[in-house]
Every structure is written in C-alpha cells, then in structure tokens.
Amino acid sequence: MLRISEIVRFFFISFREQPIFSTRAHVFQIDPSTKKNWVPTSKHAVTVSYFYDCTRNVYRIISLDGSKAIINSTITPNMTFTKTSQKFGQWADSRANTVYGLGFSTESNLVKFSEKFAEFKEAARLAKEKSQEKVELASTPSQGGAVKRNLLPVSKPVKKQESAPDDLQSPSTVDSINGTDEGRVTPDTPKHTEARAELSQNALPSSHSSSSVSKHWEAELAALKGNNAKLTAALLESTANVKQWKQQLAAYQDEAERLHTRVTELECVSSHSTVVKSQRTDLNQTIEELEFALKIKEEELERLKVEVESANEFQSHKDALLLKLQDTESRNQALEAHLSDLEQRLESDQQEREAFRKSLRSLLELLDSKISELTELRDSLAKLLEAS
C-alpha cells in the first residue's frame, strides 16, 4: 500500500499533465510472503497510464483504483517487461520491492504496452546519460597549465534487478481474461448396442494417447526442473562472486585514489623529478592494469545478467508446460469417467443378452418336448388308422 504523500502526488500529476499512453488491464502484484502467487489488486480492469515528470525527467507507470494508487513504478534502464503469455505481462520494480503483473483483454493491447515500455525505457536511459554528462562537465576543474592525469573511471554501482520468483502461476482470473477456459462437451448417449460397443473401442485408444501425452509432459517437466535447479545453483554462485567482485572493486578504487594522491604529492616535489617520473610511469601502468581488471569484471557481470535472463525464460516455459499438463490431466480424467460409464453399460447389456439367451433355450426345450409329443401322437394315430 502506497503512502498518503504518494497518493497526493499522483493526483497532482494527473491534474498537471495528461498521460502519454493509457490502456485498461487487470492489475496484480506478487505475494510478498510466498513470492510465487499473484494477488489481484483490482477487482476489475482499471486504467494504466504512462506519465512523464518534466521536473525530475523520468517516466512512470501509474494506475489508480478509485482513490487508491495501486501502481507507482518509475521506469529505469535496468527494467525489463516480460510477456509470460499471449495476454499477460510482468515487470520487476526493485524500488517498490515487488513484481507487477497486467492481464489484458486482447493480445494487441499487450503488444502496444510492451512497445511503449521499451520506448520509454530507452528514453529514460538517454536522459540518465545526459544528466551524467552534465554532472561530469560541471565537476571537471579548469586549471591552466596543469598536467593531465589518467583518471580511473568511476564504476557505476550495479543495481541488481529484482527478478520474478521461480514459480509464477497466473490465477484463475488471469485465465478468464486471457480466454483460456475451454468448454466441456457432453458426449451424446448412444441408442443402440453396436454404437455403444464402437464408442467403447474408440475411447480406449483416446485414453491411452492422453496418458502417453501426459507422461511426455511429465518427463519434459522433470527435465526442466533439473535445468532450473542447475540454473539456481549457478545464480547463487554468481551472486556470491558478484559480492566478492564488489569488495575487490572497492579495494581497487581505494588503491587508485591512494595512488592518485601519491602522484600529486610526487609532482609537488620538484627536486626529485626523475624519481617522480619513473614512479609515475609505474603508477600509470598499475592504474591501467586495474582498469583492465575492472573491464573484465564488468564483462563477467554482463554474462551473469544474460544467464539470469535465460533462467527467467526457462521459468516462463516451465509455467506454460505446467498449464498444458494440468489441461491434459483434466481431459484424461474426463475420458476415464466416460470409459467407466461405457464399460458399465456394456456389462449391463451383456447381462441382458445372457438372460435373453437362457429364456430362448428354455423355450426351445419346451418346443422340442411338444414336438416329440406331437410326433408320438401322430405315430399312434397312424397305427390306429392302419389297424382299422
């Protein structure tokens, strides 16, 4: 929940400026306790808008549900908007310490919102670079005849973007928004015994095929779980390495500042110019080596960021496979219920046939006895006729 001062600022911005881009969507936030499930922050679709704050030169995503501010996210160059399905997207906000999710009514609205996010993210990056250039130009001293020094570049602090949790499952409301609910078709009741037998024969391969598909998805899910565990271990190891590299970077920066101070002191001593030049050469070489080491560490950090993004892609793929597996299991259960119903009907038909056969046999035996009696009567009448 946002503070009252932030809500007042939202209303001030809304009255002062018009939104750059607006759309309607269902808003969700990640559960802070589990970091796995989505919690809806709006009961219905609300307006989500991009605002530009000219005083701070930043872009923000703002959404209000009545008088309650449910989104206040400042777009930074480190943010990434991820489309997890055809109508659902999410992004992590490290400042708000949460992950926002939006469920759109159509796929085109999601695509437009994602394009605007990338556009304003690039604009925020350019604005940040311009502000840094202005600060550097303002902080550069103008000293006449001063000796130019090789300055060690100040490394930017690495902001770890808060990634989405390992297991993000969209709620049922998101499924209804995305239109993934499938209607259940009630099978027609067969009228004749042959139709029932044919349906039972056709239902058996369907159940076998659905079970084989289910096993296939389960095997693929198990493989993805193994890959996810490996990536998690690699991520933990890389996090530990990043902390160690940050400590080394701080030590390198302290060493560089100490070396620059030493160079300044040596330059002030004019009586030892030859010694100062040699020491300065050594110090410059040491600074170059430190800069090269810093460059290698920055490249390693970029590689780790790419690995984290690939882990997020694996997670989204895993979520899609889980949804497909649940759908397959529900269909398999429906087919099994239909098959059991057909088997019961077939068993009852067989019992009826067996009873009918028994009644026919008894009738045939009775008919045979009557025919034998009639035959004996005929023979006796024939004998009487011959005797007379």
Side-chain angles (χ1 to χ4, degrees):
M1 186 66 63
L2 298 177
R3 294 188 297 271
I4 298 176
S5 60
E6 294 180 351
I7 297 174
V8 173
R9 187 172 54 186
F10 292 156
F11 282 105
F12 177 74
I13 292 174
S14 300
F15 286 112
R16 186 185 62 183
E17 298 177 358
Q18 294 295 327
I20 303 174
F21 175 79
S22 297
T23 185
R24 294 187 66 82
H26 289 260
V27 180
F28 301 87
Q29 284 189 14
I30 201 66
D31 191 354
S33 59
T34 61
K35 295 293 184 180
K36 291 183 179 180
N37 300 323
W38 289 108
V39 177
T41 57
S42 62
K43 297 180 180 179
H44 50 81
V46 296
T47 302
V48 182
S49 303
Y50 287 99
F51 279 87
Y52 175 67
D53 191 350
C54 60
T55 59
R56 298 169 59 192
N57 197 18
V58 294
Y59 294 86
R60 292 194 297 173
I61 303 174
I62 296 175
S63 178
L64 300 176
D65 187 7
S67 61
K68 180 176 68 174
I70 55 178
I71 296 180
N72 177 24
S73 180
T74 302
I75 300 176
T76 62
N78 295 327
M79 285 186 177
T80 302
F81 184 80
T82 305
K83 294 185 286 185
T84 57
S85 65
Q86 292 183 351
K87 299 178 183 180
F88 192 82
Q90 64 185 44
W91 78 95
D93 191 342
S94 59
R95 296 182 179 179
N97 194 20
T98 186
V99 180
Y100 293 103
L102 296 179
F104 298 88
S105 59
T106 60
E107 185 178 0
S108 60
N109 291 339
L110 174 60
V111 172
K112 290 180 181 178
F113 189 88
S114 177
E115 291 176 352
K116 292 294 182 181
F117 193 96
E119 178 183 349
F120 298 143
K121 173 185 173 182
E122 181 66 18
R125 185 185 66 81
L126 294 176
K128 184 177 180 181
E129 290 180 355
K130 290 181 180 179
S131 63
Q132 288 179 352
E133 289 178 358
K134 291 180 180 178
V135 171
E136 290 177 358
L137 290 174
S139 60
T140 303
S142 57
Q143 298 177 356
V147 181
K148 295 183 181 180
R149 302 181 181 89
N150 293 324
L151 298 178
L152 182 65
V154 179
S155 61
K156 301 178 182 178
V158 179
K159 294 184 180 178
K160 184 178 180 182
Q161 180 179 355
E162 182 177 354
S163 60
D166 293 337
D167 196 3
L168 292 180
Q169 299 177 355
S170 299
S172 58
T173 55
V174 179
D175 293 336
S176 63
I177 295 167
N178 296 342
T180 56
D181 294 338
E182 297 180 359
R184 296 180 179 177
V185 181
T186 305
D188 297 333
T189 304
K191 297 181 179 180
H192 302 286
T193 307
E194 295 178 357
R196 293 174 181 173
E198 184 178 358
L199 283 173
S200 63
Q201 291 177 0
N202 292 332
L204 287 173
S206 299
S207 62
H208 289 304
S209 63
S210 62
S211 62
S212 62
V213 171
S214 178
K215 290 179 180 179
H216 171 70
W217 288 120
E218 287 176 356
E220 192 168 358
L221 180 60
L224 284 174
K225 285 183 178 178
N227 293 333
N228 190 18
K230 293 179 181 179
L231 288 172
T232 304
L235 182 60
L236 292 175
E237 183 179 359
S238 63
T239 304
N241 292 334
V242 166
K243 292 181 179 178
Q244 184 179 1
W245 292 336
K246 285 182 178 180
Q247 294 176 358
Q248 292 180 358
L249 180 61
Y252 290 157
Q253 289 178 349
D254 294 337
E255 182 67 16
E257 291 178 359
R258 187 183 65 82
L259 292 175
H260 280 297
T261 305
R262 182 60 178 170
V263 168
T264 304
E265 292 175 356
L266 292 175
E267 287 177 349
C268 294
V269 182
S270 59
S271 60
H272 302 84
S273 59
T274 305
V275 178
V276 167
K277 289 181 180 179
S278 61
Q279 290 182 354
R280 182 179 178 183
T281 303
D282 295 336
L283 291 175
N284 288 333
Q285 184 178 1
T286 304
I287 291 173
E288 290 176 356
E289 291 175 356
L290 290 174
E291 289 177 350
F292 181 75
L294 285 175
K295 185 178 180 180
I296 293 175
K297 298 300 181 183
E298 289 176 354
E299 292 176 353
E300 187 68 19
L301 287 175
E302 293 294 332
R303 185 182 64 82
L304 291 174
K305 288 181 181 179
V306 173
E307 289 180 358
V308 171
E309 291 178 356
S310 64
N312 292 333
E313 292 177 357
F314 274 114
Q315 184 62 39
S316 61
H317 190 197
K318 174 186 173 183
D319 295 339
L321 288 178
L322 281 174
L323 292 176
K324 291 181 180 178
L325 179 60
Q326 291 175 359
D327 188 15
T328 305
E329 288 177 353
S330 62
R331 291 182 181 177
N332 190 15
Q333 291 176 359
L335 290 174
E336 287 177 355
H338 189 199
L339 178 61
S340 62
D341 187 18
L342 291 176
E343 287 177 352
Q344 291 177 0
R345 292 180 181 178
L346 179 61
E347 186 178 356
S348 63
D349 290 340
Q350 288 178 354
Q351 292 177 358
E352 291 177 0
R353 286 183 180 180
E354 190 65 28
F356 182 71
R357 286 178 182 176
K358 289 181 180 180
S359 63
L360 284 178
R361 286 175 184 174
S362 62
L363 183 60
L364 286 174
E365 290 175 356
L366 180 61
L367 184 60
D368 290 337
S369 64
K370 296 296 182 181
I371 289 172
S372 62
E373 290 177 359
L374 290 174
T375 303
E376 290 175 358
L377 180 61
R378 180 183 176 281
D379 292 337
S380 62
L381 291 175
K383 288 179 182 180
L384 290 173
L385 182 62
E386 291 173 359
S388 65

